[in-house]
Amino acid sequence: MANAGHILGLTGAHLQLSLPAIAAAFLLSLPLARLANRLRPARALILGGTGLLYAVPSLPLFIVLPVLIGTGVRDTLNVIVALTLFGLALMVRSAADALDAVDEDTRLAATALGHSSRGRFWTVELPLAGPALLAGLRVVSVSTISLVSVSAVLGVQSLGSLFTDGFQRGIVAAVAAGIAMTVLLALLLDLLLVLLGRLLMPWSRR
Amino acid sequence: MNHLSAAVDWLLDAQTWTGPGQLGARATEHLGYTAVAVLIAAVIALPAGLAIGHTGRGRAAAVLSSGAVRALPTLGLLTLAALAAGVGLVAPLIALVVLAVPSILAGAYAGVESVDRATVDAARAQGMNAWQVLWRVEVPLGLPIVIGGLRLAVLQVTATATLAAYVGAGGLGRPLFLGLRTYDYPMMLGASLVVILLAILLDACFEVVQRLLSYAPGLARTGRLREAR
Amino acid sequence: MIEFERAGKTYPDGTVAVGEFSLRIPSHTTTVLLGSSGCGKTTLLRMVNRMVDPTSGRVLIDGEDVAQEAPVALRRRIGYVMQNSGLLPHRRVIDNIATVPRLTGMPRGAAHERARELMRTVGLDSGLARRYPGQLSGGQQQRVGVARALASDPNILLMDEPFGAVDPLVRMELQRELRRLQTQLRKTILFVTHDIDEALALGDQIVVLQPGGQIAQAGTPEEIVAAPANDFVARFLGLDAGRRSLRARPQPGGGWLVSDAGGRPLGVLPDDPAREGPG
Ligand SMILES: Nc1ncnc2c1ncn2[C@@H]1O[C@H](COP(=O)(O)OP(=O)(O)OP(=O)(O)O)[C@@H](O)[C@H]1O
Ligand SMILES: [Mg+2]
């Protein structure tokens, strides 16, 4: 049962890397998406830039990033920043689409009612884009959880360490346990997000 | 920034590239892995995806299973396959194919489904059989999305092929892991930069193809594409 | 001749779209199925070319049960026009029209020749041949739809609200063209609409439908307007609201002002209609 304790510790480390990255990606994506939608010239730049980011493979980014932000390859911060960038690559696009998909008539109606541009964003556009934003967030959450493990080859502790250790010492059970825990974690977080969505957006329940 | 200039120096050194086991050969290996894995995945996933999109049957199962596969950590899959199949090429290929299948599958059925039902209905009403409806209407009209799925798969596989070296295969992961193990920062940084460039280059190729497609007047003018944006 | 023999359709989800429907459609005439949304018009129409198979009863063409025919071959010899034309957006106008001839193996050149001829028949400028459907107006698209349906020179033409999506002026123009075409081509046309004026303008026979594909009344336009079978038909025609009972009042400058029972003006009748000839 020493194993159980070990796995639990790694799960904690896994969450410490992934949760901040997921949250940061979501929060940063909103202003970027709004900017992209409001300023059409910025749109190509922002969406193109984040799209390009998505093409960057994870492991090389973990190695290149320290040169740019001055962290060490094995620093927690390095991993979190890299994961945030990947999250942004996915989330900015879907946030921009979600906000853009808000019905033009609804938007005009809200303006006609006397909402300011900012008020309209918080009271009309954001809630109406909510379900689509949630869908984007769920993709980011699942992919981040599964991506964290890659950092284990650099020596960063996470559930991915079960893969590297298990592989080097030839323990199939360790690798299998790592896979199971990662999937379980992804599913649990996904469930949590769905429940949160139901709670915050009762109107979207079918 | 010292590291960066050292890495650039390493990259500019002719010796880095030529000869067996050097960067040029590694890049070719990398592309080869990617091509083979995507090809195998496409042979599996394209027919299945088109069938699902055309018949509407098996969609729920496809969504569910590809969702589950996406949650699988690739490194875990790779090491598990390597423990089962031994070090070498088989394990990475298994992992890469598993990685590529969901994207291609989803692109294929989403592409077919994206075609306006009224258009498909009209094609049937003119007397096209199921096969003709698929090849003359659903596939050409859904093509941008089908290619989008392939693009995503190529991207994911190129990125992940770097990990193949972790279980003893070749590819651009080789110099990366070698640099990592020997604390040769210029080497691992240089190799990383090459992988990144390669991925961006491949993606740009797909971008060009998709742009060209979107200029096809018959495609660009449909309500479907306007809605999709 | 098309015959519906107690044809019925219950969809897999339990919706009874058509309960039991019997009708005889004589050759070389236009029969209009008239009814409000969801009453089963499309379902009935699609029973003819086997896009829908009846769950009870049968449909006969010239005495042969369509269920005995291969659906694909059947559809190639029946023209079908639908709302929003249903053109293939990735094919040029000329290729859209040539669809069925090409499917049945006609060489490309001959099929295009035929398509050009049809464009003239339906009044489309030949300069539009190389355009894509998205580059045409709604009215032009409908003409292409009609031309495509005529391409295999079918005896039967099924038209499902073909002019439903264009503005009233274009709509009247298209109706006039269809009448002209019909005097020339003499097809057996089964035409679906929920527009009473369209039905009166086009039908040799009008079938007013109630929900579930029940026939409320079938007859010539004159019979239906003169003697609606029941309240449903009268309401549908707007007869109860006096929309079609007319009054004429002499005008100060000569002629007669015609209005409906509610007093809304409809038009002017010249002093002596007999001398002017039929309008
Ligand atoms: N594939 C289907 N599955 C289940 N129910 C259907 C299906 N197609 C049609 N229905 C139902 O059958 C009924 C008749 O449909 P149909 O399309 O024939 O009506 P319609 O008279 O053509 O209406 P509209 O004027 O709106 O086109 C409707 O209640 C409709 O909801
Ligand atoms: Mg209908």
Side-chain angles (χ1 to χ4, degrees):
Chain A
M1 280 299 98
N3 278 343
H6 180 57
I7 293 176
L8 218 59
L10 290 177
T11 307
H14 203 91
L15 285 174
Q16 271 174 31
L17 292 169
S18 49
L19 289 184
I22 295 170
F26 182 69
L27 293 177
L28 287 173
S29 74
L30 289 178
L32 281 172
R34 186 155 185 250
L35 192 68
N37 281 341
R38 283 163 58 96
L39 282 172
R40 290 290 150 172
R43 188 182 174 85
L45 198 72
I46 291 174
L47 294 186
T50 47
L52 200 65
L53 211 60
Y54 190 71
V56 174
S58 54
L59 183 57
L61 185 68
F62 285 135
I63 293 170
V64 172
L65 203 57
V67 182
L68 304 174
I69 61 174
T71 51
V73 168
R74 290 180 180 80
D75 286 0
T76 316
L77 188 63
N78 179 41
V79 175
I80 291 177
V81 171
L83 290 172
T84 304
L85 288 176
F86 282 121
L88 276 178
L90 288 169
M91 196 62 213
V92 171
R93 166 117 255 164
S94 56
D97 287 347
L99 291 174
D100 211 27
V102 173
D103 187 35
E104 188 60 29
D105 288 341
T106 313
R107 220 188 307 241
L108 288 175
T111 314
L113 285 175
H115 280 296
S116 67
S117 153
R118 173 171 309 192
R120 203 184 55 196
F121 178 76
W122 289 107
T123 58
V124 179
E125 288 170 26
L126 197 58
L128 283 182
L133 286 174
L134 179 64
L137 183 58
R138 288 175 62 189
V139 173
V140 170
S141 137
V142 171
S143 77
T144 307
I145 295 275
S146 110
L147 208 55
V148 172
S149 356
V150 173
S151 65
V153 300
L154 305 172
V156 180
Q157 290 285 305
S158 72
L159 284 172
S161 310
L162 290 171
F163 306 146
T164 49
D165 291 355
F167 175 65
Q168 263 142 31
R169 295 195 277 153
I171 310 173
V172 175
V175 177
I179 294 178
M181 277 309 288
T182 315
V183 173
L184 195 66
L185 214 57
L187 287 182
L188 279 179
L189 197 60
D190 195 52
L191 198 66
L192 214 64
L193 286 174
V194 171
L195 289 178
L196 203 67
R198 292 247 170 112
L199 214 63
L200 292 176
M201 301 178 288
W203 65 85
S204 67
R205 208 179 322 172
R206 273 177 290 168
Chain B
M1 286 293 144
N2 290 347
H3 288 315
L4 196 57
S5 58
V8 170
D9 285 344
W10 180 73
L11 282 177
L12 291 180
D13 186 349
Q15 280 209 318
T16 308
W17 289 88
T18 49
Q22 294 302 90
L23 215 48
R26 293 297 176 213
T28 315
E29 266 173 3
H30 202 96
L31 283 173
Y33 294 177
T34 306
V36 171
V38 171
L39 211 67
I40 296 174
V43 166
I44 299 168
L46 276 182
L50 294 179
I52 290 168
H54 182 78
T55 61
R57 256 175 259 144
R59 188 176 190 281
V63 171
L64 209 69
S65 55
S66 45
V69 170
R70 281 213 186 96
L72 282 180
T74 312
L75 183 64
L77 206 62
L78 182 69
T79 46
L80 194 65
L83 288 180
V87 290
L89 209 53
V90 178
L93 274 183
I94 293 174
L96 294 177
V97 168
V98 170
L99 186 72
V101 161
S103 302
I104 300 178
L105 190 73
Y109 70 70
V112 171
E113 279 171 2
S114 75
V115 179
D116 191 355
R117 283 300 98 185
T119 305
V120 174
D121 249 18
R124 290 208 309 135
Q126 304 307 313
M128 289 196 189
N129 61 34
W131 196 247
Q132 290 165 331
V133 168
L134 181 67
W135 285 110
R136 302 190 187 187
V137 180
E138 289 173 331
V139 169
L141 287 175
L143 199 60
I145 298 178
V146 178
I147 291 186
L150 277 172
R151 177 180 181 171
L152 197 56
V154 167
L155 212 62
Q156 290 166 322
V157 171
T158 321
T160 313
T162 319
L163 289 177
Y166 188 76
V167 293
L172 286 167
R174 264 294 173 81
L176 195 149
F177 281 108
L178 186 63
L180 198 65
R181 233 169 279 130
T182 57
Y183 295 95
D184 185 342
Y185 204 83
M187 183 190 265
M188 71 174 155
L189 189 57
S192 297
L193 288 174
V194 172
V195 179
I196 290 175
L197 279 179
L198 189 73
I200 290 178
L201 214 68
L202 279 177
D203 200 45
C205 290
F206 273 99
E207 176 74 25
V208 169
V209 170
Q210 288 190 311
R211 281 278 163 90
L212 286 179
L213 271 182
S214 77
Y215 284 134
L219 287 181
R221 282 291 192 128
T222 60
R224 181 181 55 72
L225 279 186
R226 255 182 262 136
E227 274 160 32
R229 222 170 282 137
Chain C
M1 187 171 59
I2 307 172
E3 285 164 289
F4 289 87
E5 278 187 5
R6 312 175 62 155
K9 176 71 186 181
T10 305
Y11 283 104
D13 65 356
T15 314
V16 181
V18 176
E20 193 183 289
F21 183 86
S22 295
L23 182 74
R24 175 175 297 210
I25 296 160
S27 298
H28 311 298
T29 64
T30 303
T31 295
V32 176
L33 299 179
L34 174 66
S36 46
S37 196
C39 70
K41 304 182 297 291
T42 299
T43 304
L44 281 169
L45 200 69
R46 291 185 168 196
M47 284 180 187
V48 178
N49 74 350
R50 292 199 63 190
M51 299 272 284
V52 169
D53 282 322
T55 41
S56 63
R58 43 186 209 154
V59 179
L60 311 170
I61 295 179
D62 297 331
E64 307 268 345
D65 188 347
V66 294
Q68 304 302 320
E69 305 213 29
V72 167
L74 180 71
R75 289 171 199 155
R76 287 180 187 174
R77 58 183 186 83
I78 297 181
Y80 194 105
V81 189
M82 56 204 268
Q83 194 177 344
N84 294 321
S85 71
L87 299 175
L88 301 179
H90 59 307
R91 298 228 181 141
R92 297 176 193 277
V93 165
I94 187 115
D95 293 314
N96 260 293
I97 298 176
T99 303
V100 179
R102 294 288 287 135
L103 284 177
T104 51
M106 190 187 281
R108 197 180 145 89
H112 276 194
E113 195 39 55
R114 170 102 184 105
R116 275 182 213 288
E117 181 188 317
L118 281 162
M119 287 182 72
R120 279 192 294 279
T121 312
V122 300
L124 275 171
D125 189 86
S126 62
L128 300 176
R130 316 253 337 130
R131 296 239 188 125
Y132 287 94
Q135 301 167 324
L136 301 181
S137 74
Q140 289 168 335
Q141 287 182 22
Q142 286 314 134
R143 285 172 196 265
V144 176
V146 174
R148 178 176 68 174
L150 291 172
S152 62
D153 198 15
N155 292 323
I156 298 173
L157 210 51
L158 305 175
M159 308 184 82
D160 192 352
E161 302 192 34
F163 310 143
V166 294
D167 69 63
L169 272 181
V170 174
R171 188 175 182 138
M172 273 163 63
E173 158 106 30
L174 288 170
Q175 289 167 3
R176 199 162 33 212
E177 289 270 327
L178 184 62
R179 271 202 308 268
R180 177 182 66 76
L181 269 178
Q182 175 64 346
T183 53
Q184 202 180 310
L185 303 172
R186 298 183 30 82
K187 305 286 181 197
T188 306
I189 299 181
L190 189 52
F191 191 105
V192 163
T193 184
H194 53 241
D195 177 352
I196 165 74
D197 293 309
E198 187 162 77
L200 293 175
L202 295 175
D204 298 315
Q205 173 181 223
I206 295 179
V207 181
V208 186
L209 291 175
Q210 274 169 282
Q214 275 194 41
I215 299 184
Q217 186 175 5
T220 63
E222 294 78 15
E223 284 166 0
I224 286 181
V225 173
N230 54 32
D231 282 357
F232 178 85
V233 178
R235 254 204 320 280
F236 202 88
L237 292 162
L239 290 174
D240 62 332
R243 199 157 78 85
R244 286 181 197 283
S245 47
L246 309 180
R247 291 193 190 139
R249 194 153 42 86
Q251 272 199 304
W256 300 75
L257 179 70
V258 181
S259 55
D260 69 10
R264 277 169 299 172
L266 294 175
V268 177
L269 203 65
D271 228 349
D272 184 355
R275 210 176 12 173
E276 297 283 318

